[in-house]
Amino acid sequence: MTRHTKNIDAFVAASVSSSDHIVKAYLGLVAVELILKNDVGLKGHNVPAAIDKFAHLFAIGHHQGCKIKLNALVAQLRNAITAITVQGKDGNPCNAPVDSYPNIRYVRHESDSWPAPFTSEEQAKVLSAKVLEIRAYLKNKFGKAL
């Protein structure tokens, strides 16, 4: 039984309806996190590590080839998350931590006239697209409600 089904559905729907790339990525990552909590016992917000563990546990048998693809998606997701510049707790810019995607809420958007470093619209778009690709892969290959 999948727990948090209503929450997952709500975050997916909100992600699909948003036109903002950071919002789409954030809400999509929440949905992936909730799905993976059930499968791998994820305790924090390290979605890439959870996907790694998921691949190790479930990309076997007739899904064996999926492990390579999931590993590639994880590497790309890590890069996309850390490419996002956020406002750190100390008030200085820093890369979003790969083990805590919720920090992307504090993105330093180029359009807000932050001094460099900041996050470009293209970087936000890359993250959003990668999250969407991961959601689609988990749904199509493993039947996850994403």
Side-chain angles (χ1 to χ4, degrees):
M1 170 207 298
T2 299
R3 306 257 188 237
H4 305 295
T5 302
K6 184 169 178 54
N7 293 352
I8 294 163
D9 291 346
F11 282 109
V12 167
S15 172
V16 169
S17 68
S18 179
S19 62
D20 184 273
H21 293 296
I22 291 293
V23 171
K24 289 173 93 58
Y26 181 84
L27 296 173
L29 284 165
V30 171
V32 172
E33 176 185 338
L34 290 171
I35 284 283
L36 295 179
K37 277 187 181 293
N38 296 317
D39 291 332
V40 303
L42 177 63
K43 302 286 188 232
H45 301 293
N46 193 338
V47 170
I51 296 170
D52 272 342
K53 188 171 181 181
F54 180 87
H56 179 72
L57 294 172
F58 298 102
I60 55 176
H62 67 283
H63 286 113
Q64 191 168 2
C66 297
K67 189 167 188 172
I68 294 167
K69 177 67 174 179
L70 287 170
N71 289 341
L73 289 172
V74 164
Q76 294 163 8
L77 179 61
R78 284 186 173 119
N79 290 338
I81 289 172
T82 59
I84 303 299
T85 301
V86 299
Q87 190 73 358
K89 290 180 182 178
D90 62 1
N92 292 314
C94 62
N95 296 48
V98 74
D99 63 346
S100 188
Y101 74 85
N103 288 32
I104 67 173
R105 295 175 293 187
Y106 306 106
V107 65
R108 292 168 53 108
H109 286 281
E110 179 179 19
S111 62
D112 286 338
S113 300
W114 285 98
F118 47 73
T119 300
S120 70
E121 187 63 20
E122 184 58 31
Q123 289 167 308
K125 191 183 223 181
V126 166
L127 176 59
S128 176
K130 192 51 52 189
V131 172
L132 183 61
E133 183 180 357
I134 289 167
R135 286 180 34 221
Y137 195 78
L138 291 172
K139 180 178 182 175
N140 295 333
K141 295 293 184 178
F142 295 93
K144 298 299 175 188
L146 290 166

